[in-house]
DNA sequence: ACCTGAACACCGTTCAAGT
DNA sequence: ACCTGAACACCGTTCAAGT
């Protein structure tokens, strides 16, 4: 990967920059997607861009700063879900599109868990979610807490359902359950197949999302606007 | 901290061990609780125990192995919730006790996110949760998926609500929201206080948990045993 | 049997230069 | 203006010894 020519043609003096912040962010995201969070080191990224390691520090303040840039890059180049129809359908589409993005960029989940992400690009998701719930009739505090619930489930599911394939995750779970003593774990050994199946995959996500939306809908109907 | 005498007095020959696996696990958990995941290094832990760094490798196979031991130690010395009454009350107690444990050991959440934890000690929580839902009348597959939903929310909430104090988290969120352009983020700037309040804290957790239980209860009443 | 220093192949980042 | 090698203070772990 050779860096393209500098884009700030308006610069007046001195050498033109070898790379841009955007190129750095894109290359970082590519390493994260391909090989995971542990593979992204400053030396490795500099090699990838064909520049000296320390050159990176002319563009980013620190490695944490670099991770923030990569998060932004992932948010930006994902198409946002188109939102229409009743609030429940809109919310389902928003959460599914978010779940897909996180599945495409598993390393982002680990970054998000390390520290809160409050950058404007990342907050677009919250803006859309709170907007849907407000329009549905939830008062502001319940719209905020309701979105937090949906957000927590969606990101949590991506984080806890192992990054490896759902199939491998279920196989590992089943093997672990098979080794449990039946008298101490009657429910897990009794529902072994089902528990392993629920560890990952689309069906488990959909079931959880539907139950949450059921709960919010009940709240709306019985308490807020009966 | 000086290591106590070896406990395996039945050993027949050679030098008695300087520490036990339990002592190592306890010291590791103490470092995790006090200073977080990044502070736990093999050298640091060995110093804490008054032994050479490489001595640790006589007791644990690798650092990953050590982290598993620490997770087990945290599960073991937490009192399990007493479960009685209707299923909804039991489940609420189980999730609250789990949320409190995770809050007491924030580093455990980061470990769990790194890879699935399928050790017997950690599965006791799943055993209890699936048992409650089965007894309530959920078929095995829905008990498994329903527990997965509750588990995902509880662990996700602990992971995403910043490890620092809830007060600091809300202040940071409010400052970030105050800097957003109002025309691009009408909902977040309109419900700024409420959104920041929902970022962390008991009330946001309780609201989410109640909506999930509402959704599961509706499922039970309308579809499973109407 | 059990313990451990030296060494290896890594990190992120500071510093002092280079052009 | 912009770039960068050397160096510092760390990692986890292998190896070859020590008692």
């Amino acid at each position: 990967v050779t860096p393209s020519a500098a884009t700030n043609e308006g610069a007046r003096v001195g050498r033109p920059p070898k790379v841009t912040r955007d190129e750095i962010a894109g290359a970082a995201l590519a390493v994260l997607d391909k090989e995971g969070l542990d593979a992204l080191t400053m030396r490795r990224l500099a090699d990838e861009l064909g520049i000296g390691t320390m050159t990176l520090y002319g563009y980013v303040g620190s490695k944490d700063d670099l991770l923030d840039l990569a998060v932004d890059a992932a948010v930006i180049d994902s198409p946002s879900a188109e939102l229409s129809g009743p609030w429940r359908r809109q919310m389902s589409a928003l959460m599914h599109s978010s779940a897909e993005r996180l599945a495409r960029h598993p390393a982002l989940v680990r970054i998000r868990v390390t520290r809160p992400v409050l950058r404007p690009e990342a907050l677009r998701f919250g803006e859309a979610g709170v907007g849907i719930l407000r329009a549905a009739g939830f008062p502001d505090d319940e719209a905020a807490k309701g979105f937090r619930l949906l957000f927590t489930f969606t990101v949590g599911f991506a984080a806890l359902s192992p990054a490896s394939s759902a199939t491998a995750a279920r196989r590992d779970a089943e093997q672990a359950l098979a080794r449990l003593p039946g008298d101490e774990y009657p429910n897990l050994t009794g529902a072994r197949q089902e528990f392993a199946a629920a560890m990952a995959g689309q069906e488990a996500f959909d079931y959880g999302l539907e139950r949450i939306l059921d709960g919010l809908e009940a709240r709306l109907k019985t308490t807020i606007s009966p």
Side-chain angles (χ1 to χ4, degrees), chain A:
Chain A
V1 179
T2 44
S4 69
T7 53
N8 57 344
E9 301 176 58
R12 269 163 292 180
V13 290
R15 207 185 306 191
K18 296 180 92 169
V19 294
T20 65
R21 269 172 75 91
D22 283 353
E23 284 167 345
I24 290 174
L29 185 59
V31 173
L32 287 174
D33 290 347
K34 233 180 308 169
E35 305 180 44
L37 187 50
D38 295 335
L40 181 61
T41 70
M42 299 301 270
R43 289 165 222 254
R44 163 71 191 279
L45 181 61
D47 278 358
E48 204 87 15
L49 289 163
I51 59 179
T53 304
M54 292 315 301
T55 307
L56 285 171
Y57 286 87
Y59 299 83
V60 303
S62 64
K63 189 174 178 184
D64 271 5
D65 197 30
L66 172 70
L67 294 178
D68 280 340
L69 282 186
V71 170
D72 281 356
V75 175
I76 287 167
D77 67 32
S78 297
S80 53
E82 56 172 298
L83 303 173
S84 65
W87 74 267
R88 188 170 168 140
R89 210 175 83 92
Q90 288 186 50
M91 189 57 87
S92 179
L94 182 65
M95 290 301 145
H96 274 105
S97 96
S98 169
E100 275 159 35
R101 166 167 39 259
L102 292 173
R104 251 196 322 276
H105 304 293
L108 295 190
V109 182
R110 286 186 61 190
I111 295 173
R112 221 180 255 265
V113 166
T114 309
R115 59 205 193 295
V117 177
L118 290 171
R119 320 200 83 221
E121 285 304 336
L123 286 173
R124 288 192 189 284
F125 179 50
E127 170 65 19
V130 172
I132 292 169
L133 292 179
R134 286 176 104 198
F138 285 92
D140 287 356
D141 68 316
E142 298 214 21
K145 285 183 286 195
F147 171 74
R148 189 76 187 162
L149 160 60
L150 288 155
F151 173 82
T152 299
F153 174 68
T154 300
V155 177
F157 193 89
L160 296 172
S161 300
S164 59
S165 83
T167 314
R170 280 195 284 260
R171 182 182 17 81
D172 291 349
E174 239 191 283
Q175 286 173 358
L177 295 176
R179 279 192 295 270
L180 292 178
D183 52 340
E184 277 189 74
Y185 296 84
N187 292 297
L188 291 192
T189 51
R192 180 150 60 95
Q193 301 279 353
E194 292 82 358
F195 191 82
M199 288 292 289
Q202 192 66 36
E203 199 193 317
F205 178 77
D206 288 342
Y207 183 87
L209 181 58
E210 288 302 310
R211 297 293 81 71
I212 293 175
L213 293 173
D214 283 351
L216 288 171
E217 196 170 324
R219 175 82 183 160
L220 197 58
K221 281 186 178 148
T222 64
T223 311
I224 298 172
S225 62

